Amino acid sequence: MDGKQIIEEDKRCVAGTYARFPVVFRDGKGCRLYDCDGREYLDCGSGIGVNIFGVNDGKWKEAVTEQLGMLQHTSNLFYTRPQADLARLLCERTGADKVFFGNSGAEANECAIKAARKYGEEHGGRYGIITLKDSFHGRTIATLAATGQEEFHRHFGPFPEGFTYAEPTIEGVEACITDDTCAVMIEVIQGESGVNVLPEKFVKGVEKLCRERGLLLICDEVQSGNGRTGYLYSYMAYGVHPDIVTTAKGLGGGLPIGACMLFGDCAQVFGYGDHGSTFGGNPVSCAGACSILERIDDGLLGQVREKGRYFAEGLRGIGGITDVSGMGLMIGFKTGRPAAEIAKKCIDRGLLVLTAHARVRLLPPLIITKDEIDRALEILREVIEE
Ligand SMILES: *Cc1c(COP(=O)(O)O)cnc(C)c1O
């Protein structure tokens, strides 16, 4: 089958939820992808923030294939070494006390919502969760309810009760607190709404408010986690201490995994039967994730911060680009034109970029080189200044 036939078959048989670009990828290495005609693309999207060590990463493949040759699945009726190892690594690196594994970001957030609600029930019968306007927490019904964007809610109501959307100010969050509130959930850097970095003062203020009012602080690090921002998790940039942290995307190196980390008192909230997932913490995904997490060390994080500054500086030097935002290698910017049009033109010239609302979004693999950043800037300059 050639590319055209694959696209026709996909359009005929796959549910029409994705507005795909007309490109069929076949293989790749690092930050380079090749389509089925052999055309090369430079990757500044990482499959939406997933492939943090690029594609075909040797160490990850080794870890995954070794586990694949031993055991692929057991269910959570039994113990496996990769799941225990990954949980220990996450606890060591974050100070979390317990981890629950699912298979995606939305599932990690579902777990966080359940943990917060059970904790709230045990502490005064509370269940309300405050999230922010313009947030994004996933596509399941509960995580959509948590998502503070009207457009995602159309067609799918009624939603579970107990979610309120605050303006991203301390007064805004405070105004949403009632006797029923048990938690505040934030993305320190809102990805889907356009790489919107919440100010340090605000995040610290939310933490303080949570402490004063007995609320849990939940950080959704699904997109901003796992080294993306030059910190292992972006909340670490501000030195705050959440009670629950969720992550997914970059953790699995390309295989599905989501993790919900529980800190302090919160870690004791779940008992037998409270939550579960057939595939969650699958040994192959976990073996791969261990090989990823082990390599997100201080050296790599320093490089991510440095390369992020370099990339952002380069973008600021391009006429027509405004409003560059981000942290590390999670970057967004505006141009005078629709972001989708810029993305399409970049792809025509062999550069993969993402969009988020009206903004272009860049989430390159963390291993991107300065030469590759220069090449990406060159293509962006051509497209935007044309
Ligand atoms: C992508 C994303 C999710 C949802 O993750 P899925 O793996 O697609 O379910 C949740 N929260 C944030 C911040 C995300 O960026």
Side-chain angles (χ1 to χ4, degrees):
M1 268 209 280
D2 65 15
K4 221 169 138 245
Q5 289 167 316
I6 294 169
I7 291 172
E8 276 168 18
E9 184 178 88
D10 181 294
K11 283 192 189 259
R12 198 169 61 244
C13 303
V14 176
T17 61
Y18 302 110
R20 301 193 206 273
F21 293 100
V23 179
V24 182
F25 284 120
R26 192 190 53 207
D27 56 7
K29 180 76 197 151
C31 300
R32 309 281 169 156
L33 290 171
Y34 301 92
D35 69 14
C36 54
D37 300 321
R39 213 171 149 233
E40 185 180 276
Y41 297 79
L42 175 58
D43 185 12
C44 282
S46 305
I48 319 190
V50 169
N51 302 321
I52 59 178
F53 287 99
V55 289
N56 258 312
D57 164 40
K59 290 214 167 81
W60 176 83
K61 274 207 295 192
E62 213 174 283
V64 164
T65 48
E66 194 193 343
Q67 183 58 41
L68 200 57
M70 288 179 359
L71 188 66
Q72 307 77 47
H73 175 79
T74 59
S75 88
N76 284 303
L77 296 174
F78 306 97
Y79 299 92
T80 65
R81 170 147 194 204
Q83 188 177 139
D85 280 347
L86 181 60
R88 174 185 48 79
L89 273 174
L90 285 167
C91 288
E92 281 172 5
R93 297 290 301 274
T94 64
D97 295 288
K98 300 261 189 208
V99 186
F100 178 88
F101 292 110
N103 307 286
S104 65
E107 284 177 65
N109 286 337
E110 288 274 350
C111 178
I113 292 165
K114 283 181 75 172
R117 286 209 163 165
K118 184 154 185 233
Y119 185 90
E121 185 189 64
E122 290 168 359
H123 293 77
R126 296 174 291 142
Y127 59 86
I129 297 176
I130 297 168
T131 66
L132 297 183
K133 295 208 163 130
D134 285 335
S135 57
F136 180 82
H137 297 295
R139 302 282 200 154
T140 63
I141 291 290
T143 58
L144 272 184
T147 293
Q149 299 187 57
E150 233 11 89
E151 58 177 283
F152 287 103
H153 293 171
R154 247 182 306 133
H155 315 304
F156 303 115
F159 289 98
E161 292 167 34
F163 293 92
T164 45
Y165 317 114
E167 293 292 339
T169 60
I170 292 300
E171 301 72 44
V173 174
E174 198 161 14
C176 289
I177 300 175
T178 69
D179 290 345
D180 293 329
T181 307
C182 68
V184 180
M185 181 165 175
I186 59 171
E187 299 154 87
V188 172
I189 304 174
Q190 297 180 325
E192 295 305 310
S193 63
V195 192
N196 177 23
V197 184
L198 301 182
E200 178 166 356
K201 199 163 161 254
F202 170 66
V203 175
K204 283 192 160 147
V206 171
E207 182 190 38
K208 186 161 169 275
L209 195 59
C210 285
R211 297 296 159 254
E212 285 166 4
R213 309 290 286 266
L215 310 178
L216 298 175
L217 176 61
I218 306 173
C219 287
D220 177 346
E221 295 274 356
V222 170
Q223 187 161 155
S224 53
N226 309 299
R228 169 62 49 201
T229 63
Y231 296 86
L232 181 59
Y233 293 103
S234 65
Y235 72 83
M236 293 174 173
Y238 293 163
V240 293
H241 295 92
D243 302 287
I244 303 178
V245 174
T246 58
T247 192
K249 293 196 167 91
L251 181 63
L255 281 175
I257 192 166
C260 177
M261 296 176 249
L262 304 163
F263 295 69
D265 286 353
C266 235
Q268 306 310 322
V269 77
F270 283 139
Y272 294 140
D274 279 339
H275 199 37
S277 165
T278 302
F279 284 116
N282 169 280
V284 180
S285 298
C286 284
C290 285
S291 90
I292 299 281
L293 202 58
E294 275 164 356
R295 283 179 288 155
I296 307 176
D297 55 16
D298 288 344
L300 180 83
L301 294 173
Q303 287 166 25
V304 171
R305 294 197 292 270
E306 160 69 26
K307 287 189 279 198
R309 275 192 292 271
Y310 183 77
F311 213 149
E313 268 321 297
L315 290 168
R316 288 191 184 97
I318 296 176
I321 286 187
T322 56
D323 205 10
V324 178
S325 68
M327 197 189 277
L329 288 170
M330 182 166 182
I331 304 172
F333 61 84
K334 259 201 205 136
T335 72
R337 283 152 50 206
E341 180 192 320
I342 303 292
K344 181 166 182 314
K345 291 207 155 136
C346 284
I347 290 174
D348 289 344
R349 288 176 205 223
L351 175 68
L352 306 178
V353 303
L354 302 166
T355 62
H357 282 203
R359 293 154 63 79
V360 180
R361 175 173 45 148
L362 306 175
L363 303 173
L366 307 186
I367 54 160
I368 194 168
T369 63
K370 284 219 165 138
D371 284 348
E372 286 167 331
I373 294 174
D374 286 339
R375 178 71 191 126
L377 287 167
E378 197 178 306
I379 297 172
L380 281 165
R381 183 185 293 278
E382 281 168 27
V383 166
I384 290 161
E385 289 185 347
E386 86 177 355

